[in-house]
């Protein structure tokens, strides 16, 4: 059996939740060794990341190694047979760097900004 792949994601983010719910349903239906953890409902110390860092990008732990961002997506896709082709393509030299730039400079910051706005609306007295 392949090693367990653990995914840490922000379930309060509607975009993140929708995507991860899709992957979780796929993994569950096929009894794949992939687990999904909401960063808002667990102790993050065992992941070695703080809540703010965890909310900024996807994290995946496999064989004790924590990956984040595009590398985390590649590890997750590799754990899901239907998505291995995406992992192979995105991992190609040049494309991996381009995906990293798009994710780190555009997608992740936008999702994180929306996360902060939601948190401010839900808890206006808390400074983020």
């Amino acid at each position: 059996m392949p090693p367990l792949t653990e995914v840490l994601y922000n379930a309060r983010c509607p975009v993140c939740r929708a995507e991860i719910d899709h992957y979780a349903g796929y993994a569950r239906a096929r009894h794949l060794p992939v687990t999904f953890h909401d960063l808002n409902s667990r102790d993050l110390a065992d992941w070695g990341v703080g809540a703010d860092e965890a909310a900024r990008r996807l994290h995946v732990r496999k064989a004790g190694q924590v990956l984040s961002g595009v590398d985390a997506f590649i590890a997750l896709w590799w754990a899901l047979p239907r998505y291995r082709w995406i992992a192979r393509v995105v991992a190609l030299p040049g494309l991996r760097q381009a995906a990293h730039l798009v994710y780190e400079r555009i997608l992740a910051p936008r999702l994180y900004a929306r996360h902060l706005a939601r948190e401010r609306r839900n808890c206006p007295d808390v400074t983020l």
Side-chain angles (χ1 to χ4, degrees):
M1 178 179 254
L4 176 66
T5 299
E6 297 177 89
V7 180
L8 181 66
Y9 73 103
N10 185 0
R12 289 184 190 161
C13 167
V15 173
C16 306
R17 186 178 55 246
E19 184 169 5
I20 296 301
D21 283 352
H22 171 77
Y23 296 140
Y26 175 83
R28 197 171 31 256
R30 286 152 187 83
H31 307 287
L32 299 173
V34 183
T35 60
F36 299 86
H37 308 282
D38 174 12
L39 67 89
N40 301 292
S41 62
R42 68 176 296 112
D43 180 11
L44 300 175
D46 65 325
W47 280 81
V49 297
D52 188 63
E53 183 182 352
R56 288 180 181 271
R57 64 190 51 80
L58 181 75
H59 289 77
V60 168
R61 181 168 49 201
K62 190 161 191 151
Q65 182 181 11
V66 176
L67 305 166
S68 67
V70 170
D71 291 335
F73 276 102
I74 291 170
L76 172 58
W77 292 330
W78 192 256
L80 305 172
R82 177 190 294 170
Y83 298 94
R84 285 187 184 145
W85 71 271
I86 298 172
R88 283 187 190 103
V89 170
V90 173
L92 290 171
L95 196 49
R96 181 185 218 132
Q97 288 82 352
H100 177 79
L101 284 173
V102 169
Y103 183 79
E104 293 296 330
R105 298 217 175 151
I106 299 170
L107 299 175
R110 272 200 161 148
L111 291 172
Y112 181 67
R114 288 179 171 178
H115 164 73
L116 292 178
R118 272 190 309 279
E119 294 298 303
R120 280 193 292 273
R121 280 192 308 273
N122 294 335
C123 301
D125 297 334
V126 176
T127 304
L128 298 173

